[in-house]
Amino acid sequence: VSSGAVPLIERKKNGGELAPDEIRALLAGYLDKSIPDYQVAAWLMAVCWRGMTEGETLAMTQAMVDTGATLEWADLDRPTVDKHSTGGVGDKTSLVLVPLMAEAGAAFVKMSGRGLGHTGGTLDKLESIAGFRTELGLEEMGAQVRRIGCALVGQSPALVPADGALYSLRDVTATVDSVPLIASSIMSKKLAGGAGTIVLDVKWGSGAFMTTPEAARELAGALVRIGDGAGRRTRAVLSSMREPLGRAVGNALEVREALDTLNGSGPADLWALTLELGTHLMLLSGLASSADDAVRTLTALRDSGAAARRMEMLVEAQGGDPRVVARPDLLPAAPVVRTVAADADGWVAEAEARGIAEAALQLGAGRLRKGDPVDPAVGVVVLARVGDRLAPGAPLAEVHARTEAAAEAAEARLRAAFRLSPEAVAAPGEPYETVG
Amino acid sequence: VSSGAVPLIERKKNGGELAPDEIRALLAGYLDKSIPDYQVAAWLMAVCWRGMTEGETLAMTQAMVDTGATLEWADLDRPTVDKHSTGGVGDKTSLVLVPLMAEAGAAFVKMSGRGLGHTGGTLDKLESIAGFRTELGLEEMGAQVRRIGCALVGQSPALVPADGALYSLRDVTATVDSVPLIASSIMSKKLAGGAGTIVLDVKWGSGAFMTTPEAARELAGALVRIGDGAGRRTRAVLSSMREPLGRAVGNALEVREALDTLNGSGPADLWALTLELGTHLMLLSGLASSADDAVRTLTALRDSGAAARRMEMLVEAQGGDPRVVARPDLLPAAPVVRTVAADADGWVAEAEARGIAEAALQLGAGRLRKGDPVDPAVGVVVLARVGDRLAPGAPLAEVHARTEAAAEAAEARLRAAFRLSPEAVAAPGEPYETVG
């Protein structure tokens, strides 16, 4: 059997195309171990080299989906929507968007992962709510969605088991950064989730996986082509991840900011991105007839408190204390809070997402290795945004730390992430770009 | 340990260069299994993609050499020479060149391999001499060279053990055809063999591994740079392998042709290539002062019968019947010999090496899988060479077969390998091109 893989590796290596059945055979052979991992590794590197055609990428995605269970929502009377972010710093959008869209009439199961390295994970954030359970069985999850329209859960291991297996090989063979492999990994989980409408938040910048808009655009195109090819209404939104999204970086701090946003306050950029993603979900799923209509509806659902009430239902359904939604001060808090002040005046030219994330990681908000625990209370609140004019001594950020020593170390890292300019710097405010 | 390989794979994947120590660590880790084969496979594919610098290729070759024993000839009073052919159809040059060069004053240990697929192997050819032993221990081999100046033996497993291990992985991961990997594999064995002078016969054409002169030139350059870099006098000769070398394709048939050549007859192209390779060995090792001098010396050693007598010593030393040298009719002969006649007249435009080799393979002269037995007696003798003018019914080739049915099947394959042209075709006769 293993010699059967050689011509397929060879063809990809020479820039040729594999048929859907051949891709399926490679994946099946990898999973049942009839094709040894060294052949799969060679093929993965050849894919990094030569890429995959649109047809191969779609076939790969569907083959991955077919390795596990898929969710079926045909009996629902509401449109199913889903969202994925390619990962950034301070990205707590799902915590706002999921209850908001459920309140707007959608069914929204958001499956998320844990943080690793400089990017946080939605599951870690949610678990800073005492008692909150993110591991629901498929049945319990389905029942919850049918009752309250939404769920915020961990990626089910029953869906796309090939993805974890393949990723663990890519991780140790330097074959992670291939657009078709990334796209098929992301989209296989979206397709298996069964939503009819999928919106992808593809981030670029120092705090994102893709550092340039060009790379983000390429990935966005691949994601949308897969979704369209699989018959889902799919759109991608490109958003900048040069400075963190919102102000909070760290688990409980981010939950608090998301709840503030549901409660009608919270930072403008977080609400703007939530509205942007929500508008596309509304339009594509038929819940709104125009972008204006969508924005009006979503804003009203926030302003009326209906979205916050929906979040209470979700927290309660998943074992958490629903009072936290109205009283974010119930969330765990760090014993040491220290303000980092600017030592000169000027305009904020840079508030570098990656550096800020690494300060939060060092404080204990993230993990360097899978399985490590995270500290829910610690993190960073960014107080100076690009374009702000600061007087000397004005606050750059707040450090929330477990100890004074940890706060001190984080302060040094944070200072290095900020750059002040003696000349005026405009706030970024690029319009969102959409693909699909 | 295995995570240590990821940055090295990543760097090569991104087109970067590995330091000699890093290449050595990869190879050592592969051999002691501290680096898993899937990481080595990914790195090999990245090498196919990005190539290797001259420094990397030399480091790789030396790292391979250092995994095993090396032969030492410092005590010899004669220059040590070696030769390698990249493999072709009907290539029995070593059987002529080794005793000839030993008679000219060189020490020549030629280590060879077995045939696989369409290319024959020198060991299979030699073993058609009854009793001939190709597997000598290093000690016995050394003693023989000190006594009679030459040996024709199998590649010693004590030399470059990494080569076999790495090749078996390349073979199943479609990473065979990378110039630096091919070059380091070839040259590691030459360096470990300890010869001060190395001449490489790099063949191109349908019957060769490299099909174009450009590809052969690239490989030749890589081989010579390694040899020079390792302090050996190294030169490569490019020779065409569009039609077979000489007339005979098949084990005993080829030995017979080689012995005929030593005895002063034999096909002109085989003697010409032997002289070409021999001349470079003579010049580089200081055994001749000019090409004319080398040709004169080598021709005289053939004409006097001295080279044939040296071959008798070699055959006797390695367990064969030395009378075979003067009486090639003692070699095994096939029961069925059939002439394949041209069915039209015209000039021979093509006598395609690959097709002729496949006819011989089908007759049983070669093997499709490692370990399969070969039939020493069967094969093909090509009677029509490119440029020959044929009348209808003139012989194209002779089939030497075990059965009538096998002969018939081979006849059809052979016909397909020949192409006649109604217009005159010149005999090829390209001058040899040398590199280094």
Side-chain angles (χ1 to χ4, degrees), chain B residues 78-172:
Chain B
R78 34 170 75 202
T80 48
V81 302
D82 203 350
K83 168 256 183 189
H84 177 83
S85 157
T86 58
V89 178
D91 183 7
K92 65 285 286 180
T93 315
S94 295
L95 277 60
V96 188
L97 189 62
V98 167
L100 186 64
M101 285 302 302
E103 196 59 32
F108 198 158
V109 178
K110 175 73 184 87
M111 296 192 177
S112 302
R114 299 200 174 270
L116 187 63
H118 78 278
T119 44
T122 298
L123 298 189
D124 297 319
K125 296 169 194 177
L126 287 166
E127 288 173 1
S128 66
I129 302 171
F132 195 97
R133 294 183 305 118
T134 56
E135 314 234 327
L136 307 191
L138 293 185
E139 202 168 329
E140 182 181 6
M141 200 180 73
Q144 178 178 314
V145 171
R146 283 171 175 81
R147 187 161 53 83
I148 65 168
C150 52
L152 279 162
V153 296
Q155 183 63 42
S156 165
L159 270 52
V160 203
D163 184 58
L166 203 62
Y167 189 85
S168 67
L169 185 59
R170 287 168 58 202
D171 195 34
V172 294

Side-chain angles (χ1 to χ4, degrees), chain A residues 318-406:
Chain A
Q318 295 188 224
D321 179 352
R323 292 176 305 158
V324 78
V325 176
R327 291 191 49 204
D329 58 297
L330 293 173
L331 289 164
V336 177
V337 179
R338 171 193 291 229
T339 301
V340 179
D343 48 16
D345 67 341
W347 281 263
V348 179
E350 217 169 335
E352 209 249 323
R354 182 69 177 252
I356 293 167
E358 283 169 358
L361 175 65
Q362 200 190 28
L363 284 164
R367 59 173 68 81
L368 279 169
R369 269 178 305 239
K370 275 183 198 174
D372 284 353
V374 300
D375 184 336
V378 300
V380 173
V381 178
V382 179
L383 298 172
R385 319 270 324 196
V386 171
D388 288 356
R389 180 166 192 181
L390 302 186
L396 291 172
E398 232 173 53
V399 174
H400 294 242
R402 191 54 61 189
T403 64
E404 287 289 346

Side-chain angles (χ1 to χ4, degrees), chain A residues 2 5-6 9-10 13-14 37-39 41-43 45-46 48-50 169 171-178, chain B residues 2 5-6 9-10 13-14 37-39 41-43 45-46 48-50 169 171-178:
Chain A
S2 74
V6 176
I9 305 168
E10 184 92 40
K13 175 193 169 191
N14 293 330
D37 44 15
Y38 51 78
Q39 292 190 320
W43 171 69
M45 187 59 83
C48 289
W49 176 1
R50 300 297 193 172
L169 186 59
D171 195 34
V172 294
T173 53
T175 54
V176 168
D177 66 341
S178 150
Chain B
S2 74
V6 175
I9 305 169
E10 183 93 38
K13 175 193 172 193
N14 293 331
D37 43 16
Y38 50 79
Q39 292 191 319
W43 170 68
M45 186 59 82
C48 289
W49 176 2
R50 299 297 192 172
L169 185 59
D171 195 34
V172 294
T173 53
T175 53
V176 169
D177 64 343
S178 150

Side-chain angles (χ1 to χ4, degrees), chain B residues 240-255:
Chain B
S240 149
M241 183 38 67
R242 286 173 298 183
E243 52 182 339
L245 181 68
R247 297 176 176 277
V249 181
N251 300 296
L253 294 168
E254 292 193 42
V255 172

Side-chain angles (χ1 to χ4, degrees), chain A residues 203-260:
Chain A
K203 298 190 178 296
W204 60 270
S206 85
F209 188 66
M210 300 286 171
T211 52
T212 65
E214 294 70 32
R217 216 170 277 134
E218 188 190 352
L219 177 58
L223 294 167
V224 168
R225 281 191 296 273
I226 295 170
D228 287 347
R232 313 296 170 95
R233 292 172 297 277
T234 311
R235 188 167 293 161
V237 174
L238 266 58
S239 68
S240 149
M241 183 40 67
R242 287 174 296 181
E243 52 183 337
L245 182 67
R247 295 178 177 276
V249 181
N251 300 296
L253 294 168
E254 292 193 43
V255 171
R256 177 182 198 132
E257 185 169 270
L259 297 176
D260 288 346

Side-chain angles (χ1 to χ4, degrees), chain B residues 296-320:
Chain B
R296 247 192 325 269
T297 302
L298 295 173
T299 307
L301 293 173
R302 178 193 62 167
D303 293 347
S304 69
R309 298 298 78 73
R310 183 65 51 178
M311 185 60 165
E312 285 170 353
M313 291 181 213
L314 186 153
V315 171
E316 184 160 36
Q318 295 189 223

